[in-house]
Amino acid sequence: MQGVEVGIEEVLLCRERRVDIQNEMIKKYNTPLISFTMNIPGPIKTNGQIKKAFNIGKNLILENLKENNIVVLEIKELDESTGNELFISVDSTADKVKNITVNIEESSQLGRLFDVDVIDVNFEKLSRKSFRKCLICEEQAQECGRSRKHSIEELQNKVEEILEKELLQNNKK
């Protein structure tokens, strides 16, 4: 996979900053927040293809919010070597927003690379009702990750395969 490699320290600092932004936006509006990143295994977190996929995800989220008459109060977007991030404060219930975001994640192969968290006003991340499937073997993703069932190289190859196929299909639309 092509791109700039990032170390664990950068990823951890990025997570801390993400939580700070999430908390700040929830406090500001006292409404749920959508936090969108990409699920990209390994030290390369972004490149041209990943950014295109991220933008497709961002547009899907915004279109679905509009279709469901959910008011967007604020949008913040980061474009860093640790990956693209999107934060959206919404005027809705967290449960309604979570249902929408899970549908987006499960709507396509590309959606499987999306990591869309919904955080409620109590700063709790809503859990999905069904487990995420592993990109490679369809088992529970958390179990495969914990046991390191698949190599980073295997996972990166699968991510590249999904990106190439899905971005090609999106270009035809």
Side-chain angles (χ1 to χ4, degrees), residues 26-116:
I26 290 169
K27 284 177 192 167
K28 182 175 180 180
Y29 294 101
N30 197 35
T31 60
L33 177 87
I34 298 169
S35 181
F36 170 49
T37 59
M38 297 291 290
N39 265 326
I40 307 296
I44 296 167
K45 299 298 182 190
T46 192
N47 61 29
Q49 281 191 314
I50 295 167
K51 282 182 187 175
K52 283 180 187 169
F54 176 84
N55 286 327
I56 290 168
K58 174 176 77 173
N59 291 333
L60 283 170
I61 293 167
L62 293 172
E63 287 166 13
N64 277 271
L65 292 174
K66 188 175 183 179
E67 285 169 14
N68 285 277
N69 299 313
I70 295 174
V71 176
V72 172
L73 302 170
E74 183 178 356
I75 298 175
K76 265 189 187 165
E77 190 170 345
L78 303 176
D79 182 7
E80 307 281 341
S81 60
T82 49
N84 301 81
E85 299 184 56
L86 181 71
F87 305 92
I88 308 172
S89 292
V90 291
D91 189 9
S92 182
T93 65
D95 286 330
K96 182 176 180 180
V97 175
K98 185 64 179 176
N99 287 334
I100 292 167
T101 61
V102 168
N103 286 337
I104 292 168
E105 288 176 337
E106 294 178 349
S107 67
S108 68
Q109 281 290 304
L110 193 59
R112 295 180 71 185
L113 301 181
F114 299 157
D115 187 7
V116 190

